[in-house]
Amino acid sequence: MAIRNIREIGDPVLEKTCKEVTEVTPRIQELIDDMFDTLYEANGVGLAAPQVGILKRIVVIDTTGEDPMLLINPKIIETSGEQTGYEGCLSVPGKTGQVTRPNYVKAIAYDENMEPFEIEGTELLARAIMHELDHLEGHLYVEKVEGELQDVEEAEEE
C-alpha cells in the first residue's frame, strides 16, 4: 500500500471520463488500497481514481473517519431535496466554494467482489457521493460554485 500523488486542477486527467471496471484484479485491489491510504493521509472525505491519475470508475468515501466505503462503477438512481454549503476538493487545495447539491442521494455500485449494492446518503454523504461521481465524468466542483472560490481560511471565518 502506498500514498499516491493527488492530481490538481489543470491536470488533463481530471477532465476525462473514466472507464468501467469489469473485474477486480490484483492491480485494481492495490489501487483501491492506495486510494484509501491517500485519502486518509490527505485528511479527505472522498477520493476518485482520476484524482490519482487512473481513469477507472472507482470512488472511496469516508465521511466519519471510521466508515470507509468503496464504490465501483457507481450510478445515481435517485436524488431529492437541496442543500447549499461550502465544498472543497483534494484536487483544488486550499480553496472552497458554495455549491448546491441534492440533500438525498441513492446510488447503485459494486463492491470489491463485484457484487452490486445500493447506498443512500443525506447531507455530507450525499454531497460526497455527488462530488466524487462528478470526478468520474471529468468534472470538478469549481464548475458548480456559486460566486467566487475562496481561500479555506476565509470561509472558516464566516
Side-chain angles (χ1 to χ4, degrees):
M1 298 199 291
I3 307 300
R4 299 207 182 193
N5 289 329
I6 297 174
R7 305 296 181 93
E8 294 185 3
I9 190 169
D11 189 317
V13 76
L14 295 173
E15 300 170 8
K16 296 187 182 337
T17 302
C18 295
K19 294 176 175 46
E20 290 215 345
V21 175
T22 56
E23 66 175 318
V24 177
T25 62
R27 284 188 68 177
I28 294 290
Q29 187 60 58
E30 180 182 12
L31 169 64
I32 292 164
D33 294 342
D34 289 355
M35 286 176 64
F36 276 115
D37 287 349
T38 304
L39 175 69
Y40 292 129
E41 177 70 19
N43 293 316
V45 169
L47 187 69
Q51 291 180 275
V52 293
I54 307 296
L55 292 173
K56 295 286 187 183
R57 299 186 78 77
I58 301 172
V59 166
V60 296
I61 296 174
D62 191 340
T63 58
T64 66
E66 299 172 5
D67 189 22
M69 290 176 256
L70 166 66
L71 286 71
I72 298 174
N73 301 333
K75 289 185 176 76
I76 303 295
I77 56 173
E78 186 181 333
T79 64
S80 66
E82 190 175 272
Q83 61 171 309
T84 300
Y86 281 103
E87 202 164 302
C89 180
L90 296 174
S91 292
V92 189
K95 298 291 184 183
T96 187
Q98 288 271 348
V99 177
T100 299
R101 294 200 185 265
N103 195 50
Y104 166 82
V105 172
K106 182 192 281 188
I108 54 171
Y110 293 88
D111 64 16
E112 63 276 0
N113 299 314
M114 294 305 287
E115 295 291 328
F117 68 96
E118 281 188 2
I119 181 169
E120 294 179 279
T122 59
E123 299 172 1
L124 179 59
L125 180 55
R127 179 177 294 279
I129 292 169
M130 297 296 295
H131 177 109
E132 298 308 327
L133 269 62
D134 280 352
H135 278 296
L136 303 181
E137 299 299 328
H139 298 289
L140 293 173
Y141 85 99
V142 296
E143 298 169 29
K144 298 179 183 323
V145 168
E146 300 158 16
E148 298 292 316
L149 276 180
Q150 297 181 7
D151 290 330
V152 169
E153 297 80 29
E154 292 173 17
E156 289 172 351
E157 292 170 6
E158 286 185 5

